[in-house]
Amino acid sequence: MNSLPIGIFDSGVGGLTVLRELRRLLPAEHLIYLGDTARVPYGNKSHATVTRYALEDVQFLLSRGVKMIVIACNTASAIAAPTLREQFPDIPILGMIGPGSRAAHAATRNGKIGVIATAGTIGSGAYEARIRATFAASGGAPVEIHGQACPLFVPLVEEGETDSAITRLVAEKYLAHLREAGIDALVLGCTHYPLLKKVIAETMGPGVTLVDSAGAAAAETAALLESRSLLHPDGDRTPPHIGLNHFYVTDAAARFHGIAESFLGHRVERLDLAELGPGL
Ligand code: DGL
């Protein structure tokens, strides 16, 4: 059981920011990544559609024999996580909302928190509810939450516009009122936003901590596996055995390979990549 892979899914390439953090923290684990590139984006689709896609994504990963599921997509986490946990009660399922919310609670000093994400994630209210619950559970300090959908960020990142004049302009449009509201922590509630950290940090100014939900989710994955005695047995070796990465996409494998490097943050000589049909 312990040497089985961790299954990770996202609407497309973005979840590679989560895979990158998992690989860094858990070098011995085998990782299976599913990117639903045929049906991306999830961020502007209805709850019913996102939930149906997410159910199919999990079913695919379970068919590969995984020991746990990480929902690397914030939109799928916000909308479909409760249904997934209900439908698949026997497997641990970790989404992005809990880890991101707990990291925001730890990061803020003044209790004013911004959340940026897709329209679907912001519209669901999932981050807001979880952040409020986290504050309530740890003493009930007052909290003020400012949500902002940033739909243009995803295509800008996918077109490689991570540090350009147009991206700075868009960032100013989305973020100015969060800056003016005096937030001191900003949750990057979408897979693509860690790639915009530089522009977002410069737009917000030095007093604002950026909360990377990808890093927080990877840390909680490690903690969850450890608490259930599910870590790969070779993790104790020095140096640890290096786990395998397997990538599956539902469309356009060549394009996926092309932008995977920017999301993974390093050159990829060979991507072990298989293409499935839409609907898997
Ligand atoms: N992966 C999505 C998220 O984190 C962003 C891309 C999409 O809209 O599908 O919300």
Side-chain angles (χ1 to χ4, degrees), residues 217-235:
E220 290 204 13
T221 300
L224 189 148
L225 288 177
E226 185 166 14
S227 72
R228 299 196 184 200
S229 304
L230 279 174
L231 284 168
H232 193 287
D234 288 346

